[in-house]
């Protein structure tokens, strides 16, 4: 079959000439674009065609172009589409200083948010509703953990979409916003209901006492708090990510900490206010409590329909429940520890520090998980055996001391623990919260617990994100709920252990029990 100049020119105009396409060596599982001969007619005449790439290949082109542009390796002949938006920046060229600079402000903002939440918990623990319905304490880590289950997952998912160019057009942006907002409303309602059931069960097992009015109060308070908090925080997250892209900041570095900056405070304030308001109506609980629950449950079909319209959220709507529910259960165990210690005089002051240590650990590990997930998305698709092959069991040296960008960010995040907590402890001390004097031995025990918590979380994140990726699971949807829930459990457990040791050694200068 003879070749003619006209067909050759036609193929080059359509981006399918013999010049290799970036998709031709995109990695395993990707088919190269068809060659020239596939577009020749029976008589050898050239035929103009429009090549429509699959969703996976189009994503791969944009991801590879982003990497090549940031690595100064792009070639003009590689540009096969004139409709594609500007290639998004890759985190590969970030230095330790730039990572720390971008993370520092949102980290401090998030930390002060957890300090404020701790001060609120230190006050509301003496309210009658918390004294009479102590199971509300079990709801605290579970509902505060929703920022990890829902808002941080939303932030990580949208950050990845923004970084790989899936929010560049108004149509894509609107589809992502509506689908994700509807999705988190469905998840918030269901998880809030399940958290109330867990609180009732965990409160009933040790004492053997079950109260139907208390159970309905917990259900109504939990569902209403989860729904309203997720609605407010979800809107804030979308604004943060869109704003970050416009001013040239990597959303992975700022979105998840800002999700937590107001998350703990808003959620705890809503839980306290709603539970107190409903508690005042306990004489009419047969009508008020079931109506509140029924109202939010009746909205579920609306959110389900909206979430199913977006391909990006349809899969999560069906398959993303396991991490959210398991994370809620893990956080509820931490809530059980808080419920059993907050009323003990030997653990006085623990309430104000619990949101701080849990929030800081969850914020830092969420940043790391979001960064690793984006890095993997830029090099392939979940389940692919690309150059960044999933590590089954990384060594601590690989996690913290290797030269790659993810190890660099782990070191930066770990180094933020001590100065960050010192600032937060000083703030609590100035506000006279916690009934605990900040002596040297108290600070040593507290910092040991905080460092150990973050060290374990960062190592688990390195293993978990790569492990999920190797099994075809998107870490943006699955990893952060587990990690933040483990952060709540580790933080509460290690903090309770520190207070217990301080009591055993008789450190009177800490005024534990005052």
């Amino acid at each position: 079959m003879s070749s003619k100049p006209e067909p050759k020119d036609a193929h080059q105009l359509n981006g399918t000439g013999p010049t290799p396409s970036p998709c031709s060596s995109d990695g395993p599982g990707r088919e190269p674009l068809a060659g020239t001969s596939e577009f020749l007619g029976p008589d050898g005449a050239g035929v103009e065609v429009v090549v429509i790439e699959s969703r996976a290949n189009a994503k791969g082109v944009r991801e590879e172009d982003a990497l090549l542009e940031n690595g100064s390796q792009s070639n003009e002949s590689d540009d096969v589409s004139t409709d594609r938006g500007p290639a998004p920046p890759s985190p590969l060229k970030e230095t330790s200083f730039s990572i720390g600079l971008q993370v520092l402000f949102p980290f401090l903002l998030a930390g002060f948010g957890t300090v404020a939440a701790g001060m609120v918990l230190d006050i509301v623990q003496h309210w009658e509703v918390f004294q009479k319905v102590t199971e509300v304490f079990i709801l605290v880590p579970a509902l505060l953990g929703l920022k990890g289950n829902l808002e941080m997952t939303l932030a990580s998912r949208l950050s990845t979409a923004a970084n790989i160019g899936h929010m560049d057009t108004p149509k894509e942006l609107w589809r992502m916003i509506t689908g994700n907002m509807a999705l988190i409303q469905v998840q918030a309602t269901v998880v809030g209901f399940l958290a109330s059931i867990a609180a009732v069960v965990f409160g009933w097992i040790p004492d053997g006492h079950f109260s139907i009015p208390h159970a309905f109060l917990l259900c109504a308070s939990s569902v209403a708090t989860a729904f309203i908090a997720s609605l407010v925080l979800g809107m804030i997250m979308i604004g943060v990510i869109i704003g970050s892209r416009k001013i040239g900041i990597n959303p992975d570095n700022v979105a998840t900490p800002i999700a937590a900056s107001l998350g703990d405070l808003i959620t705890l304030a809503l839980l306290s206010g709603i539970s107190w308001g409903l508690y005042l109506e306990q004489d009419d609980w047969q009508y008020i409590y079931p109506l509140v629950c029924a109202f939010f449950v009746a909205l579920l079909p609306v959110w389900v329909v909206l979430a199913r319209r977006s391909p990006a959220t349809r899969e999560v709507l069906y398959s993303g429940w396991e991490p959210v529910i398991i994370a809620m259960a893990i956080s509820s165990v931490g809530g059980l520890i808080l419920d059993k210690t907050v009323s003990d005089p030997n653990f006085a002051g623990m309430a104000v520090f619990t949101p701080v240590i849990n929030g800081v650990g969850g914020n830092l590990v969420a940043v790391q998980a979001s960064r690793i997930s984006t890095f993997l998305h830029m090099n392939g698709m979940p389940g692919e055996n690309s150059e960044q092959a999933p590590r089954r069991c990384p060594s601590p040296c690989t996690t913290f001391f290797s030269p790659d960008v993810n190890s660099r960010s782990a070191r930066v995040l770990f180094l933020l623990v001590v100065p960050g907590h010192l600032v937060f402890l000083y703030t609590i001390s100035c506000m006279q919260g916690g009934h605990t004097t900040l002596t040297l031995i108290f600070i040593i025990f507290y910092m040991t617990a905080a460092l150990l918590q973050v060290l374990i979380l960062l190592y688990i994140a390195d293993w978990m994100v790569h492990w999920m990726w190797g099994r075809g699971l998107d870490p943006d949807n699955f990893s952060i709920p587990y990690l933040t829930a483990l952060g709540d459990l580790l933080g509460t457990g290690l903090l309770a252990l520190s207070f217990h040791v301080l009591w055993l050694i008789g450190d009177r200068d800490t005024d534990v029990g005052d």
Side-chain angles (χ1 to χ4, degrees):
M1 183 180 296
S2 61
S3 164
K4 298 181 181 180
E6 291 81 359
K8 180 178 179 180
D9 295 338
H11 295 312
Q12 289 178 344
L13 289 173
N14 285 281
T16 59
T19 303
S21 168
C23 289
S24 61
S25 58
D26 229 10
R30 298 214 179 117
E31 295 296 332
L33 294 178
T36 304
S37 60
E38 296 181 24
F39 301 98
L40 297 178
D43 57 351
V47 181
E48 290 193 4
V49 297
V50 177
V51 177
I52 301 178
E53 298 176 339
S54 69
R55 189 178 190 88
N57 285 343
K59 180 179 178 181
V61 172
R62 186 177 287 115
E63 291 165 355
E64 181 166 334
D65 284 350
L67 291 174
L68 292 178
E69 178 175 328
N70 284 274
S72 300
Q73 300 173 4
S74 61
N75 191 306
E76 292 182 359
S77 63
D78 292 336
D79 187 9
V80 298
S81 174
T82 58
D83 297 332
R84 192 181 310 131
S90 167
L92 289 177
K93 292 300 179 181
E94 290 178 302
T95 64
S96 297
F97 178 77
S98 65
I99 295 172
L101 190 62
Q102 292 187 24
V103 173
L104 180 61
F105 176 73
F107 168 71
L108 291 176
L109 181 63
F112 286 123
T114 60
V115 169
M119 298 299 297
V120 170
L121 183 59
D122 192 40
I123 295 172
V124 301
Q125 66 174 324
H126 304 295
W127 288 8
E128 185 177 358
V129 63
F130 282 83
Q131 297 291 323
K132 299 295 184 181
V133 190
T134 59
E135 294 87 354
V136 178
F137 282 111
I138 302 177
L139 287 177
V140 171
L143 292 183
L144 266 60
L146 278 179
K147 73 179 185 301
N149 296 350
L150 304 182
E151 279 74 35
M152 284 186 175
T153 302
L154 170 67
S156 178
R157 190 162 55 239
L158 293 182
S159 295
T160 297
N163 276 325
I164 64 179
H166 285 180
M167 296 174 63
D168 290 346
T169 65
K171 183 178 180 180
E172 291 176 325
L173 178 63
W174 179 248
R175 185 185 298 118
M176 292 292 292
I177 290 175
T178 55
N180 279 279
M181 286 297 295
L183 174 65
I184 64 172
Q185 294 312 117
V186 174
Q187 292 178 324
T189 304
V190 174
V191 172
F193 178 74
L194 294 178
S196 66
I197 294 178
V200 171
V201 172
F202 286 149
W204 167 68
I205 290 177
D207 301 330
H209 176 70
F210 178 78
S211 172
I212 294 180
H214 288 182
F216 273 102
L217 170 64
L218 291 171
C219 181
S221 302
S222 180
V223 172
T225 300
F227 182 93
I228 299 173
S230 294
L231 180 63
V232 174
L233 293 172
M235 295 174 65
I236 294 174
M237 277 302 88
I238 292 172
V240 167
I241 291 171
I242 294 175
S244 298
R245 291 290 293 160
K246 288 186 179 296
I247 63 178
I249 295 177
N250 185 357
D252 284 313
N253 292 336
V254 299
T256 50
I258 292 179
S261 62
L262 297 175
D264 287 343
L265 180 59
I266 290 176
T267 304
L268 187 55
L270 285 171
L271 175 62
S272 304
I274 292 173
S275 61
W276 173 248
L278 292 175
Y279 181 76
L280 295 178
E281 304 296 330
Q282 57 183 328
D283 293 337
D284 298 322
W285 70 268
Q286 297 93 336
Y287 309 103
I288 301 297
Y289 300 169
L291 280 177
V292 173
C293 297
F295 172 75
F296 290 105
V297 171
L299 293 176
L300 275 176
V302 178
W303 308 126
V304 170
V305 170
L306 291 176
R308 289 182 60 186
R309 291 182 178 179
S310 174
T313 56
R314 187 183 303 121
E315 181 182 357
V316 183
L317 180 65
Y318 296 136
S319 62
W321 292 101
E322 179 183 344
V324 172
I325 294 175
I326 294 178
M328 180 273 301
I330 296 173
S331 295
S332 297
V333 176
L336 181 61
I337 298 174
L338 180 64
D339 181 33
K340 297 305 178 184
T341 56
V342 74
S343 58
D344 190 334
N346 297 322
F347 294 87
M350 181 174 165
V352 73
F353 297 107
T354 300
V356 177
I357 193 171
N358 291 352
V360 169
N363 298 344
L364 293 177
V365 75
V367 171
Q368 180 70 352
S370 181
R371 289 179 57 87
I372 297 175
S373 179
T374 297
F375 179 82
L376 293 173
H377 273 285
M378 283 184 160
N379 288 278
M381 300 290 290
E384 288 185 351
N385 295 319
S386 59
E387 292 182 5
Q388 283 71 31
R391 286 173 277 174
R392 295 182 180 275
C393 187
S395 68
C397 291
T398 304
T399 300
F400 295 99
F401 301 107
S402 66
D404 65 78
V405 67
N406 293 324
S407 179
R408 188 182 309 135
S409 62
R411 293 193 296 270
V412 171
L413 295 173
F414 184 74
L415 291 175
L416 288 175
V417 174
V418 172
H421 272 296
L422 286 176
V423 173
F424 305 144
L425 289 178
Y426 178 75
T427 304
I428 292 174
S429 178
C430 290
M431 299 175 70
Q432 298 180 348
H435 313 290
T436 303
T437 304
L438 298 183
T439 60
L440 179 61
I441 189 170
F442 174 82
I443 293 175
I444 291 175
F445 273 88
Y446 181 88
M447 287 299 174
T448 301
L451 287 170
L452 186 60
Q453 175 208 31
V454 174
L455 187 71
I456 294 173
L457 288 175
L458 290 176
Y459 176 76
I460 294 177
D462 190 28
W463 165 78
M464 182 178 290
V465 173
H466 287 90
W467 181 83
M468 290 180 173
W469 184 269
R471 279 152 184 76
L473 301 175
D474 189 347
D476 281 326
N477 298 326
F478 291 90
S479 63
I480 291 181
Y482 289 121
L483 293 169
T484 54
L486 287 173
D488 291 342
L489 181 58
L490 284 172
T492 306
L494 291 171
L495 188 61
L497 180 61
S498 299
F499 270 82
H500 184 64
V501 173
L502 284 171
W503 173 73
L504 288 178
I505 65 177
D507 181 37
R508 298 181 181 180
D509 290 337
T510 57
D511 294 333
V512 177
D514 286 355

